[in-house]
Amino acid sequence: MHIPDGYLGPVTYGGLWAAMVSVWFYASRKIRTSLRIAEIPMIALSAAFSFVIMMFNIPVPGGTTGHATGAILIAILIGPWPAVIAVSIALVIQALMFGDGGITAIGANCFNMAFGGMVSGYGLYRLIAGKRREAQGSEEIQNSKFKIQNSFGARNITGAAIGAYAGINIAALLTALELGIQPLMHTGIDGRPLYSPFPLTVTVPVIMIGHAVFFGVLEAIVTVLVLVYLKKSHPELIRG
């Protein structure tokens, strides 16, 4: 889903840059008020995990790639707004140091994967799993390991799988729409597209089929396996 440079016009990537700056600002404020100091290193670890899992990408016709993101898993572990920052950090490093995704398209890639798809998938997870009360006192926090083991059950696992599958497909759909509208927005005097040349009739089916059939399933499997492992070994790490 990494969009390279030259595939989005300035109206599209500029608008998504502006949107993500607002999202990053809001997310940073939420982190300062809701994230415990001891949990801050989890943002760096989550960014590293997302970075690694997104490096295993497969080219998809239309100028982009398909891969897992780990965004919903990270949101379940550290919360949705820290997840926005963690996945965004991974995407920025990939663009600046490895050329995986364009620099002008950083805002678009972050909007699709770190925000749009993640928030949608996490919201679906919360809808299915229901709410869990956070531990407050020191004694309650020490006993939270056993409480989470009992409270994080089949509904949570099911919600995580469905949310992960839906989240990555929503991110893919946003990518397909952004690429597909470029021929409608930017054409030369001879009528040829100036940026992405593929219309919606090409980008939507080509990108969505791969994610619906393969990458979404992979995302759901990775999310469930990690959560099942953490529930048994380190349930205190499951925050969301």
Side-chain angles (χ1 to χ4, degrees):
M1 284 178 289
H2 288 67
I3 301 175
D5 286 320
Y7 275 74
L8 298 180
V11 174
T12 306
Y13 72 69
L16 292 172
W17 261 108
M20 278 311 300
V21 167
S22 301
V23 171
W24 289 327
F25 177 76
Y26 181 79
S28 64
R29 294 189 62 182
K30 294 291 290 185
I31 289 174
R32 285 197 297 266
T33 58
S34 64
L35 199 66
R36 293 189 286 265
I37 294 177
E39 295 173 324
I40 292 178
M42 285 295 294
I43 296 180
L45 292 175
S46 300
F49 170 78
S50 182
F51 174 86
V52 171
I53 198 172
M54 284 194 289
M55 290 299 289
F56 295 94
N57 51 46
I58 299 174
V60 173
T64 183
T65 57
H67 51 79
T69 65
I72 310 304
L73 172 62
I74 294 171
I76 295 172
L77 295 180
I78 63 176
W81 296 112
V84 169
I85 301 299
V87 179
S88 295
I89 291 173
L91 290 168
V92 170
I93 293 175
Q94 285 180 329
L96 295 179
M97 299 186 64
F98 296 91
D100 196 1
I103 294 177
T104 59
I106 286 176
N109 288 325
C110 290
F111 182 86
N112 299 339
M113 289 178 271
F115 178 64
M118 186 279 296
V119 170
S120 302
Y122 181 75
L124 186 58
Y125 160 76
R126 282 260 56 97
L127 181 65
I128 297 172
K131 294 183 178 181
R132 178 177 64 83
R133 184 174 60 87
E134 292 285 344
Q136 300 295 331
S138 58
E139 182 178 351
E140 188 175 358
I141 292 173
Q142 290 179 356
N143 295 330
S144 64
K145 178 175 181 177
F146 305 102
K147 294 180 180 180
I148 295 172
Q149 282 179 326
N150 293 329
S151 64
F152 196 87
R155 284 184 60 186
N156 299 81
I157 297 298
T158 302
I162 295 174
Y165 179 85
I168 194 172
N169 276 281
I170 291 172
L173 179 60
L174 291 172
T175 302
L177 293 176
E178 290 159 9
L179 292 171
I181 63 174
Q182 298 310 302
L184 302 175
M185 298 176 62
H186 306 284
T187 56
I189 56 175
D190 57 356
R192 290 185 298 177
L194 296 177
Y195 299 100
S196 174
F198 306 105
L200 289 169
T201 54
V202 173
T203 59
V204 172
V206 166
I207 294 177
M208 292 308 301
I209 289 174
H211 285 83
V213 174
F214 178 71
F215 299 112
V217 176
L218 176 63
E219 182 89 4
I221 291 174
V222 170
T223 301
V224 168
L225 289 178
V226 173
L227 287 175
V228 169
Y229 169 77
L230 290 178
K231 178 188 175 182
K232 294 180 179 179
S233 59
H234 300 286
E236 69 278 2
L237 295 179
I238 303 175
R239 185 176 192 268

